[in-house]
Amino acid sequence: ATAYYSDTNGVPKDGDGRVTHLGLRAGELAPRVVSVGSLSRAQRLRDLMDSVSLSLTSPRGFTTYTGTVAGVAVSVVATGMGAPMMDFCVREARQIVDGPMVFVRLGSCGGLSPEATPGTVVLNTPGSVYVSRNPDAFAGGEGGSTPAYTIARPVAPDPRLCAHVCVALRAALGDRVVEGLNASADSFYAAQGRCDEHFDDRNSTVVPEVLAKHPDACSMEMESFALLHLAACSLGTIRACTAAIVAANRHSAAVITTELLHETERVGGRAVLNAVASFGLYL
Ligand code: URA
């Protein structure tokens, strides 16, 4: 019998050297990565690449396309949603690629500010905060007096990478690019202030609290903080920045059309792919 994987206290790999969740091994992932949440967005970006040498869907829900953009190796990874999925992506990618890496996320988000209308792309030049639910506040006893949600301080993107992506996005989308702070939440529902009568969530003030503390907050999603935080903790080996297409505005409740979403994915996706391919790798 063979062990399912090795190195359980490090970054586990199977007998072929494949990391457990991405399903990739050395040589299959480029040092330049565009991460997206949804598989269909990844497919749309794949269709914009010059060539694709690897397509792999892992049993844990990650799909990777590795190929070239303007002659430079680039990978597009569909991570699915949430901070743990981004954590798998960044840590397992780091494990199988040598040398400096660049990660740019092109996600989707809710728009928090009035200008973050459906079909705009929020580039998180000031970075992202993190909103998390505090289970102790719901448990009674001593924890009952602690806040139900906490807001971690902003983590910034790599400024040069972010400026480079900004130039590319603005050239492609003009004033449909909004620069502002992101708030990543630990869930789509409670920590993003969505109300659900079936649960005790105490979350009606979460979004107003984020905006009171950070008036420049423009977007809300679930993954960007994890990427920026890990890049900041990567001992200088990963440069990252994040952007997201506004799917709906949380004030006006206006929702993007399918056509506008797909067009923004294509136009914004091409800009991000070209920016990632043309950004020099350095430590
Ligand atoms: N992703 C999120 O996490 N929230 C939104 O409102 C939209 C996309």
Side-chain angles (χ1 to χ4, degrees):
T2 44
Y4 187 52
Y5 55 70
S6 58
D7 198 12
T8 193
N9 294 316
V11 179
K13 288 183 185 159
D14 72 10
D16 293 331
R18 293 184 180 281
V19 284
T20 312
H21 306 88
L22 287 186
L24 303 168
R25 61 182 169 191
E28 293 184 340
L29 189 75
R32 294 175 171 85
V33 177
V34 176
S35 82
V36 304
S38 86
L39 178 57
S40 63
R41 188 172 319 124
Q43 290 166 337
R44 243 177 286 285
L45 268 60
R46 171 201 64 192
D47 292 345
L48 298 169
M49 296 170 82
D50 303 333
S51 65
V52 178
S53 54
L54 174 120
S55 303
L56 188 140
T57 296
S58 79
R60 297 297 196 172
F62 294 88
T63 293
T64 301
Y65 301 114
T66 297
T68 59
V69 175
V72 175
V74 173
S75 292
V76 173
V77 182
T79 63
M81 289 167 283
M85 294 297 275
M86 183 58 85
D87 191 77
F88 284 128
C89 178
V90 176
R91 289 181 184 275
E92 295 189 3
R94 180 65 287 175
Q95 188 66 21
I96 56 170
V97 174
D98 289 330
M101 293 188 78
V102 163
F103 275 83
V104 177
R105 166 169 154 80
L106 180 61
S108 61
C109 64
L112 294 186
S113 60
E115 74 270 27
T117 54
T120 57
V121 173
V122 179
L123 177 66
N124 309 128
T125 307
S128 180
V129 299
Y130 190 62
V131 183
S132 45
R133 180 175 172 112
N134 169 23
D136 285 351
F138 296 83
E142 274 178 36
S145 57
T146 57
Y149 296 87
T150 58
I151 306 172
R153 276 194 272 270
V155 175
D158 179 80
R160 280 198 57 219
L161 176 63
C162 191
H164 188 68
V165 170
C166 189
V167 169
L169 280 174
R170 285 211 184 276
L173 290 163
D175 60 10
R176 282 169 63 194
V177 180
V178 175
E179 289 181 78
L181 186 76
N182 178 67
S184 288
D186 70 5
S187 74
F188 183 83
Y189 292 105
Q192 292 189 31
R194 290 188 167 89
C195 297
D196 181 346
E197 68 199 24
H198 298 99
F199 296 92
D200 171 17
D201 285 326
R202 306 177 206 175
N203 66 343
S204 59
T205 59
V206 176
V207 170
E209 274 170 33
V210 169
L211 287 166
K213 202 165 173 181
H214 300 286
D216 60 335
C218 282
S219 58
M220 189 164 223
E221 42 79 273
M222 295 181 277
E223 299 79 17
S224 293
F225 183 88
L227 172 55
L228 298 179
H229 172 61
L230 280 178
C233 296
S234 70
L235 312 178
T237 70
I238 298 174
R239 295 174 195 283
C241 71
T242 58
I245 300 166
V246 176
N249 186 277
R250 296 294 306 279
H251 291 292
S252 68
V255 176
I256 198 166
T257 62
T258 307
E259 293 75 16
L260 183 57
L261 174 62
H262 293 173
E263 187 262 346
T264 312
E265 288 176 334
R266 271 192 300 274
V267 176
R270 188 186 297 281
V272 167
L273 284 170
N274 286 331
V276 165
S278 58
F279 190 79
L281 296 174
Y282 58 98
L283 284 176

